[in-house]
Amino acid sequence: MTAQPQWVQEAWEQMKNKVKRVHTRIGDQFPHASVNGTYKLEPAAWWTAGFWPGLLWLVYRDTRDEELRASAESCERQLDVLLTDAAKVDHDIGFMWTLTSGARYRILGDEDSKRRALLAANLLSARFNAQGNFIRAWNGQGLEGWAIIDCLMNLPLLYWASSVTGDPRYLHIATRHADTVLQHFYREDGSVSHIVAFDPVTGEKLEVKGGQGYAPDSAWSRGTAWAIYGMSLSYQYTGNPAYLNAAKRSAHFFMANLPEDHVPYWDFRSPEGDSAVRDSSAGACAACGLLLLADQVGELEARMYRESGEKILHSLYSRYGAWESETEEGLILHGTSHFPEQQNVDVPLIYGDYYFAEGIALLMGYEERFW
């Protein structure tokens, strides 16, 4: 690894130490949001089930700590029951198996993990609506035509499946979904919709829904972060300049709307009374996307994206970190899961912790991503 600024090295060590301490309680379970300083544990079927083992793999890659490896592998095995019951999984299949089986396969080359990840890719492919060219989001009656911006981050599982099998069908599904996002989710200014509802029979676009944002036409910051990172990843796998340009548009919108400390509000168009509420998880995810963008463009542009990503991560480390706290298990404070429903507002979130750790790993010189 190349030499890095002192704060990056400090953040890396603080992150590793905190993960090891928290691991003594959580072990091979599935944390989601921290409540009163303690991570609430969810069942294996919960959409965030991949982020804790993904975090363990990030640390294991550096430390070769066998206890962390054992817990990450146990988490992966616990997901096996979902691979035979499509009713228990949804579009978040990518989040779950990319950071468990996919990560283990990348690090250890384990063939059983490869098998699991390919089974997961098959389940994700089965959610594709060929008439509307989108991957269905959630299960349930009346939701058959719903697609969401988050799903861009699930597409790497399909791109990976095409690359390791040589079967282009996974790639076709991923790119058609990405194209639908370009056509129906993106706005001129680079902001994006959270939910778009289509007629599941005809594929016709019916309406835009606010979802976890303030309103249908608002700018949910984590949705913008998904767009930055997700479109950058689609460009990485395909070389399609339309995806790169989309990632740039979202990046510029995101950067232009950041407050002074570089950590975003939960929605960039929320009412004044709600504007003080931050979402550190959106900042962490966007930072990872900005660092990837910096690797995909010429040096003049790269500097802008890289510096913005670094500023976000530095602010999260220095202003939002809970490194020495003995009463808080989360790494990064002030995340917002679902503000409209007042669910997990102003708390650490496991995906915010994961993306922060991934971003610092990138700054430390670990160039290979799990996505």
Side-chain angles (χ1 to χ4, degrees), residues 1 156 189 246 288 367:
M1 292 182 290
D189 62 2
C288 293
E367 296 180 356

Side-chain angles (χ1 to χ4, degrees), residues 91 128 132-137 146-153 155 158-159 171-183 185 198 231 243:
H91 65 284
F128 182 68
N133 286 318
F134 64 86
I135 294 173
R136 176 183 175 176
W146 286 26
I148 64 175
I149 192 66
D150 318 39
C151 198
L152 282 176
M153 291 300 300
L155 301 185
L158 300 180
Y159 293 129
L171 173 68
H172 294 160
I173 290 172
T175 55
R176 287 178 184 175
H177 180 89
D179 290 344
T180 296
V181 171
L182 288 179
Q183 182 179 356
F185 284 74
F198 300 89
M231 280 298 176
Y243 301 153

Side-chain angles (χ1 to χ4, degrees), residues 97-154:
W97 275 275
T98 298
L99 296 178
T100 53
S101 299
R104 185 175 181 226
Y105 178 69
R106 288 178 185 273
I107 294 174
L108 302 178
D110 186 272
E111 287 296 317
D112 212 32
S113 290
K114 177 183 177 182
R115 175 188 60 82
R116 288 184 172 109
L118 288 174
L119 285 172
N122 289 337
L123 287 174
L124 184 57
S125 298
R127 303 187 68 81
F128 182 68
N129 183 306
Q131 194 68 18
N133 286 318
F134 64 86
I135 294 173
R136 176 183 175 176
W138 299 290
N139 301 323
Q141 187 174 2
L143 306 180
E144 294 87 354
W146 286 26
I148 64 175
I149 192 66
D150 318 39
C151 198
L152 282 176
M153 291 300 300
N154 292 304

Side-chain angles (χ1 to χ4, degrees), residues 4 13 47 65 79 147 162 168 253 308 318 322 366:
Q4 299 298 332
E13 293 302 320
W47 78 273
D65 185 317
L79 297 181
S162 269
F253 176 83
S308 182
S318 61
Y366 285 105

Side-chain angles (χ1 to χ4, degrees), residues 37 84 122 124 135 160 168 197 203 216 222 224 236 300 369:
T84 57
N122 289 337
L124 184 57
I135 294 173
W160 169 85
R222 193 161 69 249
T224 313
Q236 174 179 277
L300 288 178
R369 300 166 187 250

